[in-house]
Amino acid sequence: MKFVKFYGASVCTVGFLSACGFRLAGSDPLPGILARPYLSVKDPYTDFAREFEHQLKSSGALVQGIRAKSTATIEVTKDLVEQRTLSVSARNIPTEYELTYTVTFAVQGPDRELLKPQTINVSKDYSFVEQELLAKEHEADILRRQMARDLVAIAMRRLTSLK
């Protein structure tokens, strides 16, 4: 009996949320001009480029392989990860690093610029222990992938706001 009450309450809650226009964060639809975008990237294998293409497709866009068949061009002119030493030990061995992921992109429609070049970046720092080299390299890879996902989320919000 408790299951029926819980299930009924869940259905009602979902019904009320959908009726008021509630949507999950990041699930806003792309504007019609981005229905068939061409994604111009220098390196299609970076964390950002792969995640960006995946999110465009997940949002219903049919990413085009040829610019002439597209409704708009999303051009990624900068996709860069930089690592900087923040602190060193008494023996001059790094003990803390900062990763910065920077992306610049713009959107060009068939007859006008839809979005001027946007530069977005995120930074994260992590500690470094020489005896745990492999683990720390793995941690840096995980941070870089997460930062790429964060940048894609920001870029997608800006794309959904296009008119």
Side-chain angles (χ1 to χ4, degrees), residues 122-139:
V122 291
S123 297
K124 300 213 185 260
D125 60 299
Y126 67 100
S127 62
F128 181 78
V129 179
E130 191 175 14
Q131 291 78 15
E132 301 170 2
L133 181 62
L134 290 177
K136 289 302 179 176
E137 287 177 355
H138 183 65
E139 180 182 359

Side-chain angles (χ1 to χ4, degrees), residues 6 9 17 30 35 38 42-43 50 52 62 80 86 89-90 122 125 138 153-154 159 163:
F6 175 75
L17 287 175
L30 289 171
Y38 174 76
K42 293 178 182 175
D43 181 359
R50 286 192 283 187
F52 197 30
L62 298 171
L80 179 66
L86 290 180
S89 68
V122 291
D125 60 299
H138 183 65
I154 294 167
L159 291 180
K163 301 290 182 208

Side-chain angles (χ1 to χ4, degrees), residues 27-35 37 55-57 59-61 156 159-160:
S27 66
D28 290 335
L30 289 171
I33 191 76
L34 293 175
Q55 285 299 317
L56 285 169
K57 289 177 180 178
S59 295
M156 291 299 291
L159 291 180
T160 59

